[in-house]
Amino acid sequence: MIQIIGERLELVRNAWFNPGFLSPRPLSLVGFTSYWGWNLGIAILLLPIAVYIVKSGQRLFFFSFLALFILANIFQFSFRIEHNHSLINYFLVLSNFYVARLLVLLWAHNTYWKLTTAMTVFLLIASGILNLMAVKNDFQWYVFDASSQPFIQWIKTQTDPDSIFLAHQELYDPVTMAGRKNYLGHSYYTSVMGYNTSVREKNIALFSQANDAVILGKMRQEKIDYIAVSTDPGQGLFSLGSKTVLENTLSVVYRDAHVIVYKL
C-alpha cells in the first residue's frame, strides 16, 4: 500500500547529521512534506487515524518502529544517504498493518462506508501506480557473458590468481569478474564500503601520465602486475603520450579490439 518513489542520488562523504533523506535541497519544511506526501500518497492521511484508534499497547508498538523513520530522516548511517531506505522500508511494512486494520473496520459498517473503503483502496493503489514510472523510464543494458569474453578467459588462464591490474574503472569489471584484483575498482563499490581511496586516486592520476621509467617504477612499488589500456573512445585511463611510453617500454601480453594489456 505504501511505497517509496523518487530518488536523489547524492554522495555525501563522512556525513553523520544529514536531515531530510532524499527530499529536495536546499531542505525546507515544504519540500520535505511534499516529498513524503508524494511517496506515501493517501496513506499519509490514513496512518495517523489508524494509529489513533488502536489499543494503547498497539500504539506504543507503532511508536517503537516510528523511530526508524525519524532516525532515517535525520542521520546518515552509511556512506550513501539513499541506503537509509532499508530502515524506512521496515517502518512502511509495519505501518501497512495499521492502515489495513483501519480499512477492515471501515468495511464492517454500512454501504456508505463500504463505498468509502473501496474508494480509499483505489486511491492507495493509484498512488502506488506512480512507482511504475520507474519501469516505464528504465532502459535496457546488455551485460556480456563472462564465458564468452576472450579477455576474461585470458585473465583466468594466463595470469596468477594474485595478480593486480591497473585497468579502467568499469561497473562490470572484466578484471574482477575473472577473479583478479583491480588496483582501484569502480568508485561506487569502494565508496559504499567506506574505503579511503584518496591515496590510490592520486596515484592513478600520476600513473595516467606514465611518461618515464620513474612512474613505471612507482607502479611496480604498488605491486601492479599488468596495465590494461582500453582502446574504446572515452574509456582510457592513459593519455596519448603515456600510451606511447607503454608501447615502447613494456611488452604486450594481450590485445583485442577493446583492450591492450602490458606486463610490468
Side-chain angles (χ1 to χ4, degrees):
M1 293 180 182
I2 308 174
Q3 300 181 36
I4 291 183
I5 62 171
E7 186 174 21
R8 180 181 60 86
L9 293 179
E10 179 176 327
L11 181 61
V12 182
R13 292 179 178 269
N14 303 320
W16 173 248
F17 179 71
N18 189 14
F21 188 49
L22 296 176
S23 54
R25 267 32 178 192
L27 183 63
S28 66
L29 180 60
V30 173
F32 179 78
T33 305
S34 174
Y35 174 79
W36 282 114
W38 280 104
N39 275 281
L40 300 181
I42 192 176
I44 200 171
L45 303 176
L46 297 176
L47 189 56
I49 301 173
V51 173
Y52 178 77
I53 64 174
V54 298
K55 297 178 181 179
S56 59
Q58 296 168 333
R59 195 175 302 118
L60 287 174
F61 178 66
F62 171 81
F63 288 124
S64 70
F65 64 81
L66 175 63
L68 297 175
F69 180 81
I70 295 173
L71 291 172
N73 279 280
I74 297 177
F75 301 109
Q76 179 173 326
F77 291 101
S78 68
F79 203 70
R80 300 177 71 96
I81 181 63
E82 62 267 23
H83 291 176
N84 280 14
H85 75 83
S86 56
L87 299 178
I88 295 172
N89 286 348
Y90 282 118
F91 165 75
L92 296 180
V93 168
L94 293 171
S95 296
N96 284 333
F97 288 103
Y98 288 79
V99 175
R101 182 179 184 276
L102 174 62
L103 295 176
V104 170
L105 292 177
L106 292 176
W107 183 263
H109 290 74
N110 57 33
T111 303
Y112 169 78
W113 284 108
K114 282 182 169 60
L115 291 174
T116 302
T117 304
M119 179 59 67
T120 302
V121 171
F122 171 79
L123 292 175
L124 285 168
I125 295 173
S127 62
I129 289 176
L130 290 173
N131 290 274
L132 294 178
M133 293 300 102
V135 178
K136 172 186 174 296
N137 296 327
D138 204 356
F139 57 90
Q140 285 187 327
W141 182 271
Y142 293 95
V143 180
F144 55 80
D145 186 358
S147 62
S148 66
Q149 292 296 308
F151 182 37
I152 293 179
Q153 295 306 311
W154 177 84
I155 295 174
K156 292 174 66 175
T157 58
Q158 301 298 320
T159 65
D160 188 271
D162 293 325
S163 296
I164 298 176
F165 282 71
L166 177 61
H168 180 67
Q169 297 171 314
E170 298 185 56
L171 185 61
Y172 298 101
D173 182 9
V175 173
T176 54
M177 292 181 71
R180 304 299 185 263
K181 303 179 183 70
N182 196 339
Y183 182 72
L184 182 62
H186 196 276
S187 59
Y188 175 82
Y189 300 110
T190 53
S191 64
V192 165
M193 296 302 294
Y195 293 130
N196 182 4
T197 60
S198 58
V199 173
R200 293 199 176 190
E201 289 170 355
K202 292 178 181 178
N203 285 344
I204 285 183
L206 174 66
F207 296 161
S208 65
Q209 304 299 322
N211 50 15
D212 57 39
V214 175
I215 295 180
L216 295 179
K218 290 183 180 295
M219 293 185 192
R220 293 188 178 96
Q221 290 176 6
E222 292 295 311
K223 303 185 184 305
I224 296 172
D225 300 297
Y226 298 93
I227 302 174
V229 179
S230 174
T231 58
D232 294 332
Q235 289 195 0
L237 279 175
F238 297 90
S239 64
L240 183 61
S242 62
K243 288 180 181 179
T244 303
V245 172
L246 296 177
E247 193 75 29
N248 295 334
T249 308
L250 303 177
S251 59
V252 176
V253 292
Y254 178 84
R255 186 193 300 265
D256 64 24
H258 303 286
V259 65
I260 303 172
V261 180
Y262 300 92
K263 181 71 172 72
L264 265 173

